[in-house]
């Protein structure tokens, strides 16, 4: 860029800074900015459009258009050229606006006499705030220098909007982070919670956007980037045994040494931005690209660049994660994403968790379930919208978050919490009562667990045992493989805490969405159907043997139940059981106590195992249907894909008929059978599963009360009759008929 243009750019930024420093109302500042921008760029028109709600833009200030149109002209997202800039987050530059695609004539503005149009999005860290427009009578396209100048003004506007400089009357000039916000996400863990926001990564606030000494700003940037490079190299050296972390840090180092990244920031400084503003400008553009990219690999790399920019901003501003703020007594954790170790560090002090990303089967979701903390994932914009200390209500049942709720929402939400509390009191009264349906059928209710912290729930929930103890969490939260002695001690404490009640340990279920930090990741196109669970155990028998030995030693003569995950065919079970037999023989040779009784079972999570040879059902000592995986494979519907995961109902006639086939085969061979998964903990699903013969269910502890309460009030034969009638009548799902039956009977 020419020195002359850089000089003009710095002049414009200097004038903008002076305008911001003046004592003036928000509207007056906007008016001054449009005048300065039009004057500096030599255009007849400059206009600022801001969002008044998520779908509507409002003309908030203009130089050149009819002033009476200010706060009167509004357009929907995607409507007209301005709406298109806002929707797609892309620049529109045309010499003949009336002939451009999407043009919409706004007669009240008087813009019909202007031919050329340049619109750039006003956005901050990927969040769209509005559109900045210049227009002129001369039919011409704007130059790259002019586009850049307008982008810089838009960036300053975005930062000033964030800081509340333009607050005034009307929805479009309302102060940010003050209005109620409803964010819809996805249920990660059910439950409701009310509290106050605690940001896992407090945002960096940039207040010095404009600088007078470009040379000094370049020096500051160079020093900060060099410090960043050194810290990344040090982290990389420390992460030599952690392949996943090392892979991320390699990407960090690549970006930190990128000449293009550095050059763009230096050019921004030359034009008048401070070092911090130059970094944030790059970060905002990366965020905008990230929102448009669908390729998973590219999104991850842009995510790496975003994380690196945050580190660089912290170096420049001195704003670390520790802000000095005290965690509230009722914290709701807000984060883009979080690892299991970090989440465990917070522990049960958290009331709830809201993530911008995450997945239903992620490590964070597993820990949240183990700690019984309500979790909402895929809550877009939450890290930009929430501030530390904001009042927040989390509805994990519906996947909804109410940020800064108004009195009406607070009242309704607290009423829901009160109703749930009353229900818990009701469930407490039947906690120690065996679960017997109204028809006299005994149904066993067990709990799922994965941490020692879960075990007190055995007593408080009324669970009859642990139907699934996930053993992978102890592997996931570490940076290296746990020792056999450590695992044996942990498993022994689990059995001690169970006080003689049955605990079913599932061997290591890794792969798919659960990748160990210290194992080389396998880039698979479909990890859910790839190298995971027992497939890993059989291919890496050393880990499986070590875990089996730890389990045998933990039992120390007590009964032991172990099951292998994701068994797809008889031969896999035979090989896994053979490893158990080898481990048992070794323990005998070493003179260690062997279990009083040893049950070896399998999880039925693939449709193929339901059609295994009769001999399999005769040899396996027990089966646990893994409902979450089995359902996604049965319907060919990825449970992490929001477009399809809710399309298929567990109470679909086809799925229930399939489950009945498994029940029949197990009944014929006398094989113990249970159903484990989220659906077991939903009362309507639970009574239907029990009605078709699944009389052992395993679920999260909080679900046992409501499931038992409903089971004890229904006759399973009557529910079975409703299911059979719905099937005969050609219903796709029995949910509607069963709900009608319950309304009539209960």
């Amino acid at each position: 860029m020419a020195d002359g243009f850089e000089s003009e750019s710095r002049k414009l930024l200097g004038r903008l800074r002076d305008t911001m420093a003046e004592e003036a109302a928000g509207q007056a500042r906007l008016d001054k900015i449009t005048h300065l921008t039009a004057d500096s760029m030599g255009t007849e028109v400059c206009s600022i459009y801001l969002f008044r709600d998520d779908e509507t833009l409002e003309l908030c200030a203009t130089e050149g258009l009819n002033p009476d149109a200010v706060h009167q002209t509004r357009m929907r997202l995607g409507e007209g050229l301005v709406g298109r800039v806002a929707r797609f987050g892309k620049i529109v530059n045309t010499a003949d606006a009336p002939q451009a695609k999407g043009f919409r004539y706004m007669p009240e503005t008087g813009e019909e006499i202007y031919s050329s149009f340049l619109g750039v999005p006003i956005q901050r860290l990927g969040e769209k705030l509005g559109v900045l427009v210049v227009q002129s009578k001369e039919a011409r396209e704007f130059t790259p220098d002019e586009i850049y100048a307008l982008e810089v003004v838009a960036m300053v506007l975005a930062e000033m909007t964030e800081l509340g400089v333009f607050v005034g009357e009307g929805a479009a000039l309302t102060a940010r982070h003050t209005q109620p916000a409803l964010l819809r996400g996805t249920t990660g863990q059910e439950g409701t919670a009310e509290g106050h926001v605690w940001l896992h990564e407090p945002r960096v606030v940039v207040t010095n956007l404009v600088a007078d000494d470009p040379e000094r700003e370049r020096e500051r940037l160079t020093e900060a980037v060099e410090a960043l490079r050194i810290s990344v190299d040090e982290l990389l050296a420390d992460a030599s045994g952690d392949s996943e972390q090392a892979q991320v840090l390699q990407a960090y180092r690549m970006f930190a040494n990128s000449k293009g990244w550095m050059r763009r920031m230096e050019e921004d400084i030359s034009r008048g931005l401070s070092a911090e503003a130059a970094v944030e400008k790059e970060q905002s553009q990366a965020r905008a690209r990230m929102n448009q990219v669908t390729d998973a690999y590219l999104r991850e790399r842009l995510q790496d660049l975003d994380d690196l920019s945050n580190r660089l901003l912290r170096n420049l501003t001195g704003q670390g994660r520790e802000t000095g703020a005290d965690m509230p007594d009722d914290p709701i954790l807000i984060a883009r994403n979080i690892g299991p170790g970090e989440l465990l560090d917070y522990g049960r002090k958290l009331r709830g968790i809201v993530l911008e990303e995450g997945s239903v089967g992620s490590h964070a979701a597993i820990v949240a379930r183990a700690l019984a903390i309500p979790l909402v994932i895929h809550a877009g914009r939450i890290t930009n919208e929430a501030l530390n200390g904001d009042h927040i209500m989390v509805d994990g049942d519906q996947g909804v978050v109410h940020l800064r709720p108004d009195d009406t929402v607070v009242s309704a939400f607290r009423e829901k919490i009160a109703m749930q509390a009353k229900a818990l009191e009701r469930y407490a009264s039947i906690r120690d009562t065996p679960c017997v349906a109204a028809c006299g059928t005994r149904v066993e209710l067990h709990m799922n667990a994965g941490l020692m912290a879960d075990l007190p729930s055995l007593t408080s929930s009324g669970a009859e045992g642990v139907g699934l103890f996930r053993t992978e969490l102890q592997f996931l939260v570490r940076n290296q493989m746990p020792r056999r002695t450590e695992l044996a001690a942990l498993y022994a404490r689990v059995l001690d805490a169970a006080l003689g009640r049955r605990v079913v340990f599932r061997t290591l279920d890794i792969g798919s969405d659960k990748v160990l930090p210290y194992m080389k990741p396998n880039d698979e196109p479909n990890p859910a159907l790839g190298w995971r669970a027992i497939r890993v155990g059989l291919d890496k028998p050393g880990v499986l043997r070590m875990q089996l030995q730890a389990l045998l030693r933990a039992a120390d003569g007590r009964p032991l139940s172990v099951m292998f995950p994701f068994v797809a065919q008889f031969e896999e079970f035979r090989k896994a059981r053979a490893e158990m037999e080898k481990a048992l023989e070794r323990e005998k040779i070493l003179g260690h106590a062997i279990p009083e009784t040893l049950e070896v079972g399998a999880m039925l999570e693939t449709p193929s195992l339901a059609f295994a040879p009769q001999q399999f059902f005769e040899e396996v000592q027990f089966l646990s249907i893994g409902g979450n995986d089995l359902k996604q494979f049965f319907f060919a519907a990825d449970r992490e894909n929001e477009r399809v995961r809710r399309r298929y109902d567990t109470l679909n006639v086809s799925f229930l008929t399939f489950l009945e086939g498994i029940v029949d085969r197990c009944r014929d061979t006398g094989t113990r059978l249970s159903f484990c998964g989220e659906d077991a903990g939903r009362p309507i699903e639970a009574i239907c599963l029990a009605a078709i013969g699944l009389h052992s269910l395993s679920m999260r502890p909080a679900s046992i009360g409501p499931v038992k309460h409903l089971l004890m009030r229904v006759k399973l034969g009557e529910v079975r009759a409703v299911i059979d009638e719905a099937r005969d009548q050609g219903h796709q799902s029995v949910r509607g008929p069963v709900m009608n039956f319950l309304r009539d009977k209960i």
Side-chain angles (χ1 to χ4, degrees), residues 27 30-31 34 45-53 56-76 82-83 106-111 117 122 129-135 169-173:
Q27 183 65 56
L30 285 174
D31 293 340
T34 57
V45 174
C46 176
S47 304
I48 296 171
Y49 298 81
L50 298 176
F51 279 103
R52 59 178 285 114
D53 57 50
T56 312
L57 287 153
E58 180 174 301
L59 176 62
C60 291
T62 186
E63 170 78 13
L65 296 184
N66 183 358
D68 292 338
V70 173
H71 298 304
Q72 301 302 313
T73 295
R74 295 170 187 167
M75 60 199 69
R76 303 288 290 172
V82 172
M106 300 283 191
E108 72 276 15
T109 65
E111 66 177 343
F117 175 100
I122 302 171
L129 304 176
V131 178
L132 177 62
V133 175
V134 290
Q135 295 169 273
E169 295 183 7
L173 298 185

Side-chain angles (χ1 to χ4, degrees), residues 155 200 237 294 411 442 455 671:
M155 180 201 169
H200 181 58
T294 56
S411 177
R442 179 80 166 85
L455 273 299
T671 305

Side-chain angles (χ1 to χ4, degrees), residues 416-435:
K416 178 178 179 176
I417 291 176
M419 289 175 64
Q420 290 177 335
K422 286 182 181 177
L424 287 175
E425 291 176 12
R426 189 164 64 245
Y427 304 148
S429 68
I430 59 171
R431 182 185 62 195
D432 299 322
T433 305
C435 182

